[in-house]
Amino acid sequence: MTRTLVVVGHGMVGHRLIETLRSRDESGSWHVVVLGEEAHPAYDRVGLSSYLDGKTAADLSLVSQEFHTDPRVELRLNTGAAAIDRRNRTVTTTDGAVLGYDALVLATGSRPFVPPVPGHDLPGCHVYRTLDDLDVIREQATPDRPGVVVGGGLLGLEAANALHTLGMTTHVVEMAPRLMPLQVDEGGGHVLNRLIGDLGLHVHPGAATETIHADREGRVDAVTLSDGTRLDTDMVVFSAGVRPRDELADAAGLERGQRGGFLVDDRCRTGDAAIWAVGECAAVEGRCYGLVAPGYSMAETVCEQLLDLGDARFPGADMSTKLKLLGVDVASFGDAHAATDGALEVVYANNAAGTYAKLVLSDDARVLLGGVLVGDAGAYATLRPLVNRELPSSPEQLLLPAGGGVSTGALPDDAVVCSCNNVSKADITGVIDAQQAADVAGLKTCTKAGTSCGSCVPMLENLLTERGVSVSKALCEHFTQSRAELFEVIKATGITSFSELVTRYGSGRGCDLCKPVVASILASLGSPHILDDEQAGLQDTNDRFLANMQRNGTYSVVPRVPAGEITPEKLIVLGQVARRYGLYTKITGGQRVDLFGARVEQLPEIWRELVEAGFESGHAYGKALRTVKSCVGTDWCRYGVQDSVTMAIRLELRYRGLRAPHKIKAGVSGCARECAEARSKDFGVIATEQGWNLYVGGNGGFNPRHAELLAADLDEERLMVLIDRFLMFYVRTADRLQRTSAWIESLEGGLQHLRSVVVEDSLGIAADLESAMDEHTRDYTDEWSGVLNDPEKLSRFVSFVNAPETPDPTIRFTEQRGQIRPAPVELPVPTVRTDQEVSA
Amino acid sequence: MKWHRVCTAAALPPEYGVAALLGEDGAAVFRTAGDGLFAVGNVDPFSGAGVISRGIVGDRDGEPTVSSPMHKHVFSLRTGTCLDEPSVALPTYPVRYRGGDVEVGLT
Ligand SMILES: Cc1cc2nc3c(=O)[nH]c(=O)nc-3n(C[C@H](O)[C@H](O)[C@H](O)COP(=O)(O)OP(=O)(O)OC[C@H]3O[C@@H](n4cnc5c(N)ncnc54)[C@H](O)[C@@H]3O)c2cc1C
């Protein structure tokens, strides 16, 4: 029989609970109704601040398509729970509906605490908890105007970071004598105050907010502090702690914890056996937890009870934290304040470098109890799992850079490596040893480790190496170098042939992995034609015949149609060619016409006709720029704000023929409606009222990913410069067959790092990248014309050397819907391994 | 066995392959870096397509190889055996230089 579970609150923990329940409830014993007061389905609140730094609400969403279409889950947004009737087991919603339940889970989270100082509710006062809060803050923030954040804890600093990002002159008021008083001790706090101050934020420690003043229109215009300071300000953001949202408790007769929250036992059950509470609103044996990981373990506990899987209890929580604020690392773990009897503290402070580290040890100095790291939290990932365990080496060795830190080998098997998802070292090594994963991405999928805050990723890498899984960058058995290293070698030495390269820097005679890579690098560095001399033999078949091989050994032909704009005359030529050679014709997703079924020996004749009609190679066969797709833009569209077609043509003509580690797709949309789907491309350009936004790293196909904002509101010239740099940097540094999305994820520092290189030129290579692109554009020639004008190259386009005109007898077609298609092959086809190239 | 002329030696550059209309479905003839000559069947046994001659020539652990362009299966040029799937093999043919030409032998 199906029972009904009502979940109140669609936040991070409520959602995790439903996801876990649905993935394990194989018999479908529960129907779930979830009430969400916010307008958005569950999103990543931990990552909330990135909403001001390029991420969209969709990027932050935690909800998959399957969730929305799951017939056993009913999501009601913009709907709060107003009352609980325990006797009749019903919940009344804010819109008056009455829902019956068999089980009720409260997951209402917290509300920001707003101190009741005079003026706290004036217009211009905000809190920092939801997407809606951030929308208002963004709208009202004025660059270079002052803003005050009340509270210098973890969340306060996030809010301060946000105002700083929005360009405001930011003040942080903290009652305690130092920032982050809960996590960081006095010494660490001083270093932190200084580091944050150095970044241009004004820290006011040891001061309380006394009054908030209004101007004549009744808006915030100043704040006075207990030490008499008066700060002029446009905006006040309260971030002085949170309070559990337990307002449903009293009327329902549910007990509350001493400091608020629905009081529950260690199974997360309230006094009513049909009602549980999880996440920040739950007071587990009286204690509330303000982090997401404990909430996730509560969700796990409740799921097991709902599905009768066992008698799991909430194991208590690790309140360790690590964060990077304004580029400053801060971490605290275990007994950071040395509250344990007899605890010893070992402190290393380096004022010059601005780093502070403290370990808290047991009275015999043998067991690690906790610690604080400020300025450099590199040791956090290895130290945190050692809490309450014997130290593997001396404290100096663990902390000082020269000591080399802890190796993962020293960790006991049951040490928790990923505390967000509660994954132990043994869980991870088990997966590695069973050969279920051979890289970090695989470990993430199999164990969930590293998928939340990511601080344990370096440990995952160490564990892989320690278990003998080499994460070797060697291209293949012939080269120990990675693609990026070979690029540097070829660029520096000026070598122009594979033979010379493999003789001097490799071994053997090469293979289908290294040869195309070297061919691509030579092309990127300006070799005249990809089929010149020895290079022809390095190319994959598609490049070798400048067409795309299909399943029966014939090829498809895709001429360039820049931006997808085509005259009727040219369209007719395509139709005529297709008809003359009997080619199957299809429109592609990149706004091209694809002609299929051409035999090798037909390719030159077909292309002669196309070139004569003004077409050129479309590089659909190459690891190169494929297409720049566009919408119609201002010329025709009623909504367009910029001329997307002209822009797309300009981009396509600039980057055509550029050889890269993998194919490159692009899109240009003339307004935010995004009809060109630019955010699913390697680079996407979207018009704004002020200019153009540039997005990078999107991907469709196997691993869909939205492109992320690299820079906003650019004029045309600046846009081209940034794309030049982005593409050249990718061409030079990415791995073989690595799309831009995977490349960005693999960069240490990810998008931030990319932005610093491309936008801020942190490596000082921008001019070099730009001139390389200028050279590429200047030297571009059409590859197909290059073949048609060269008898030597043309001579290779034959079916058989000894019978150049005889069609290959293995090629046979049948008909379907009025066009040809390859005839089914009669062979018993053995299982065929799939190529790595599965992405779109 | 009878020898069939395929092309001039000049028409077959080192580390390159050509297809020849011979036997049932054609042969793929390759010249390796040290001017070694090899001939194998042109039809990829995994897809049934006549594409082996268009594969990339190289070596694996010193064994001269060609990689099928269809799904990248690697075959030994000496024995025809698929190194990734040893139960599958291409037929092999004798091949030689003769008076500036390349010839393949068929029985
Ligand atoms: C800026 C910021 C940064 C953070 N950084 C970190 C971090 O680095 N690490 C970390 O571990 N944690 C962090 N947190 C805390 C983390 O977000 C919370 O611990 C987590 O979201 C708790 O999940 P929850 O489901 O309990 O509550 P929430 O995610 O708050 O969800 C509760 C939901 O219930 C809804 N609701 C409330 N009452 C009702 C009702 N009566 N009816 C219907 N719906 C209702 C609310 O509107 C809300 O959507 C951060 C929080 C913020 C705001």
Side-chain angles (χ1 to χ4, degrees):
Chain A
M1 202 199 64
T2 311
R3 291 173 292 170
T4 300
L5 166 69
V6 172
V7 177
V8 180
H10 195 220
M12 297 189 74
V13 175
H15 182 66
R16 171 63 74 97
L17 178 115
I18 301 167
E19 252 190 344
T20 314
L21 180 80
R22 287 297 299 131
S23 71
R24 295 200 203 149
D25 183 12
E26 279 149 18
S27 59
S29 59
W30 289 99
H31 176 79
V32 185
V33 183
V34 52
L35 304 178
E37 188 190 63
E38 294 187 62
H40 304 273
Y43 53 87
D44 179 8
R45 203 177 303 284
V46 171
L48 187 66
S49 295
S50 61
Y51 184 55
L52 295 178
D53 200 19
K55 289 247 165 111
T56 62
D59 295 334
L60 290 175
S61 174
L62 297 174
V63 176
S64 65
Q65 193 51 40
E66 294 92 81
F67 184 86
H68 279 302
T69 52
D70 186 338
R72 295 209 175 267
V73 178
E74 191 183 321
L75 170 60
R76 301 198 183 183
L77 293 176
N78 293 308
T79 311
I84 303 167
D85 175 348
R86 295 204 284 134
R87 248 211 356 224
N88 294 310
R89 295 203 172 172
T90 59
V91 171
T92 307
T93 67
T94 43
D95 49 15
V98 178
L99 307 169
Y101 66 81
D102 298 293
L104 175 63
V105 174
L106 304 168
T108 50
S110 301
R111 71 168 76 257
F113 170 66
V114 178
V117 294
H120 67 269
D121 49 3
L122 289 172
C125 288
H126 307 284
V127 293
Y128 195 84
R129 175 96 192 165
T130 64
L131 288 171
D132 290 351
D133 294 338
L134 267 60
D135 277 332
V136 182
I137 291 175
R138 176 169 17 210
E139 195 183 293
Q140 297 188 0
T142 322
D144 297 326
R145 296 285 310 157
V148 171
V149 174
V150 177
L154 199 147
L155 292 184
L157 288 183
E158 284 239 8
N161 192 8
L163 296 196
H164 186 70
T165 309
L166 291 169
M168 297 191 81
T169 307
T170 308
H171 297 267
V172 183
V173 182
E174 168 57 49
M175 251 190 325
R178 59 180 188 272
L179 295 171
M180 294 186 65
L182 287 185
Q183 290 84 8
V184 175
D185 66 338
E186 211 183 311
H190 285 306
V191 175
L192 186 61
N193 282 3
R194 219 191 66 210
L195 290 172
I196 299 281
D198 285 350
L199 291 164
L201 277 83
H202 306 274
V203 184
H204 306 270
T209 309
E210 281 209 333
T211 311
I212 299 168
H213 307 274
D215 62 11
R216 253 180 268 132
E217 274 124 56
R219 283 190 55 87
V220 168
D221 82 338
V223 173
T224 41
L225 308 183
S226 53
D227 62 5
T229 315
R230 182 185 162 102
L231 302 171
D232 289 332
T233 189
D234 279 8
M235 184 184 281
V236 175
V237 178
F238 290 104
S239 201
V242 294
R243 298 289 181 270
R245 292 197 56 180
D246 56 6
E247 56 266 28
L248 290 167
D250 286 349
L254 289 170
E255 218 181 320
R256 303 206 291 190
Q258 253 185 6
R259 300 162 117 195
F262 299 103
L263 185 66
V264 294
D265 61 14
D266 61 356
R267 292 188 181 86
C268 298
R269 225 173 200 156
T270 64
D272 182 328
I275 305 180
W276 286 263
V278 293
E280 289 193 348
C281 69
V284 186
E285 300 187 306
R287 178 162 179 206
C288 291
Y289 296 86
L291 294 173
V292 74
Y296 283 171
S297 10
M298 294 179 210
E300 174 76 32
T301 308
V302 172
C303 259
E304 299 208 350
Q305 295 167 64
L306 290 173
L307 294 174
D308 280 327
L309 292 176
D311 184 30
R313 292 168 192 243
F314 177 64
D318 178 1
M319 295 305 281
S320 305
T321 2
K322 175 184 171 212
L323 72 164
K324 197 180 193 95
L325 281 171
L326 301 138
V328 178
D329 273 342
V330 183
S332 89
F333 51 94
D335 180 10
H337 294 275
T340 312
D341 268 351
L344 304 172
E345 298 179 60
V346 185
V347 174
Y348 299 92
N350 179 341
N351 283 327
T355 59
Y356 172 91
K358 178 179 85 174
L359 294 186
V360 178
L361 308 176
S362 60
D363 50 7
D364 59 0
R366 290 175 60 179
V367 176
L368 179 67
L369 298 176
V372 175
L373 304 168
V374 177
D376 173 7
Y380 172 77
T382 37
L383 287 174
R384 190 196 41 73
L386 286 172
V387 170
N388 293 330
R389 300 182 189 269
E390 202 142 313
L391 287 176
S393 50
S394 77
E396 290 81 3
Q397 256 180 330
L398 295 176
L399 282 181
L400 296 182
V406 195
S407 74
T408 36
L411 291 178
D413 274 351
D414 59 345
V416 173
V417 169
C418 171
S419 60
C420 300
N421 294 290
N422 197 22
V423 187
S424 70
K425 175 179 164 186
D427 294 337
I428 294 165
T429 50
V431 165
I432 299 176
D433 294 347
Q435 303 192 340
Q436 286 158 337
D439 54 18
V440 171
L443 286 178
K444 284 183 174 177
T445 320
C446 290
T447 66
K448 279 205 161 193
T451 53
S452 299
C453 81
S455 68
C456 63
V457 168
M459 301 248 282
L460 301 183
E461 283 165 2
N462 283 350
L463 285 170
L464 282 165
T465 327
E466 277 172 21
R467 306 306 273 195
V469 180
S470 66
V471 255
S472 156
K473 289 205 208 119
L475 196 54
C476 63
E477 70 171 77
H478 304 100
F479 288 99
T480 56
Q481 299 88 340
S482 66
R483 182 188 173 281
E485 286 162 348
L486 281 184
F487 197 105
E488 288 309 312
V489 167
I490 298 176
K491 184 162 174 270
T493 56
I495 288 177
T496 56
S497 79
F498 178 84
S499 297
E500 187 181 350
L501 185 74
V502 79
T503 316
R504 283 176 57 187
Y505 294 94
S507 63
R509 288 307 310 174
C511 65
D512 59 340
L513 301 181
C514 57
K515 283 188 166 180
V517 164
V518 172
S520 159
I521 295 174
L522 292 173
S524 301
L525 287 172
S527 131
H529 195 283
I530 64 163
L531 298 182
D532 278 343
D533 311 321
E534 193 201 84
Q535 277 189 60
L538 307 179
Q539 307 288 0
D540 272 320
T541 190
N542 285 1
D543 277 307
R544 184 147 142 196
F545 293 99
L546 306 174
N548 293 45
M549 194 173 78
Q550 304 299 323
R551 61 185 313 137
N552 63 348
T554 60
Y555 290 84
S556 83
V557 169
V558 190
R560 181 172 307 290
V561 176
E565 182 186 83
I566 188 166
T567 60
E569 285 69 27
K570 282 181 124 179
L571 201 50
I572 287 167
V573 171
L574 292 180
Q576 285 168 338
V577 168
R579 193 164 55 195
R580 187 160 316 133
Y581 294 90
L583 304 175
Y584 170 80
T585 307
K586 192 165 190 309
I587 310 287
T588 74
Q591 302 182 330
R592 302 299 133 104
V593 180
D594 203 340
L595 311 174
F596 291 77
R599 299 191 308 271
V600 187
E601 70 275 18
Q602 293 178 314
L603 289 171
E605 308 163 43
I606 290 174
W607 270 103
R608 205 175 291 284
E609 292 191 31
L610 292 173
V611 168
E612 265 163 28
F615 286 102
E616 62 175 11
S617 163
H619 294 102
Y621 48 80
K623 308 283 179 255
L625 178 82
R626 291 280 171 89
T627 56
V628 182
K629 181 175 177 174
S630 72
C631 67
V632 288
T634 34
D635 284 349
W636 291 92
C637 178
R638 283 179 292 149
Y639 304 108
V641 296
Q642 304 280 356
D643 182 357
S644 52
V645 182
T646 304
M647 174 54 79
I649 293 176
R650 195 171 160 199
L651 293 172
E652 186 152 348
L653 297 186
R654 180 156 179 85
Y655 305 119
R656 64 184 164 182
L658 179 69
R659 298 282 152 166
H662 210 316
K663 62 185 144 188
I664 299 171
K665 297 181 176 185
V668 181
S669 279
C671 78
R673 284 175 183 75
E674 241 284 71
C675 296
E677 298 165 319
R679 289 198 63 204
S680 64
K681 308 297 184 195
D682 293 280
F683 68 93
V685 175
I686 302 178
T688 68
E689 298 281 349
Q690 288 79 37
W692 304 93
N693 282 353
L694 173 59
Y695 293 84
V696 294
N699 201 175
F702 200 59
N703 270 320
R705 181 179 187 270
H706 268 134
E708 294 177 294
L709 185 68
L710 186 71
D713 291 330
L714 305 163
D715 63 31
E716 273 194 44
E717 294 324 305
R718 178 75 179 158
L719 175 69
M720 304 291 268
V721 164
L722 294 189
I723 302 176
D724 279 5
R725 295 177 185 175
F726 166 72
L727 288 178
M728 264 305 162
F729 190 45
Y730 167 63
V731 165
R732 290 187 179 179
T733 61
D735 261 340
R736 162 181 178 271
L737 296 188
Q738 190 176 39
R739 290 288 294 270
T740 55
S741 71
W743 170 65
I744 294 173
E745 275 174 20
S746 75
L747 291 175
E748 210 171 305
L751 183 71
Q752 296 290 350
H753 174 66
L754 182 68
R755 187 178 290 136
S756 75
V757 174
V758 170
V759 183
E760 290 140 28
D761 191 17
S762 59
L763 299 180
I765 56 172
D768 187 32
L769 297 174
E770 285 168 41
S771 76
M773 189 62 84
D774 279 338
E775 226 164 278
H776 161 77
T777 306
R778 199 190 56 221
D779 296 344
Y780 168 84
T781 53
D782 171 31
E783 282 167 1
W784 261 106
S785 306
V787 168
L788 296 175
N789 298 329
D790 181 341
E792 155 103 36
K793 292 192 178 83
L794 266 181
S795 70
R796 301 195 193 113
F797 287 78
V798 292
S799 52
F800 299 105
V801 262
N802 55 351
E805 303 291 318
T806 310
D808 182 340
T810 65
I811 297 174
R812 281 182 294 268
F813 296 104
T814 55
E815 221 190 82
Q816 178 172 274
R817 293 185 292 276
Q819 300 204 68
I820 58 159
R821 55 164 262 207
V825 186
E826 289 117 37
L827 307 163
V829 178
T831 41
V832 167
R833 98 179 133 126
T834 48
D835 189 7
Q836 251 178 298
E837 280 182 72
V838 271
S839 56
Chain B
M1 191 181 68
K2 198 170 164 309
W3 290 96
H4 301 264
R5 178 187 175 279
V6 169
C7 60
T8 64
L12 183 55
E15 307 196 281
Y16 203 80
V18 292
L21 188 58
L22 282 175
E24 215 172 295
D25 286 324
V29 185
F30 299 94
R31 175 166 161 195
T32 54
D35 284 340
L37 281 181
F38 297 93
V40 296
N42 192 39
V43 174
D44 171 38
F46 296 91
S47 61
V51 295
I52 294 295
S53 69
R54 300 174 218 159
I56 288 178
V57 183
D59 62 4
R60 184 182 282 186
D61 295 330
E63 180 80 359
T65 56
V66 62
S67 147
S68 166
M70 191 57 75
H71 292 291
K72 306 272 153 82
H73 292 90
V74 172
F75 297 88
S76 158
L77 287 176
R78 264 184 336 107
T79 64
T81 306
C82 175
L83 301 179
D84 302 316
E85 196 101 45
S87 59
V88 179
L90 300 171
T92 57
Y93 305 101
V95 57
R96 67 179 185 189
Y97 293 107
R98 197 61 194 256
D101 285 338
V102 175
E103 293 184 348
V104 172
L106 285 185
T107 42

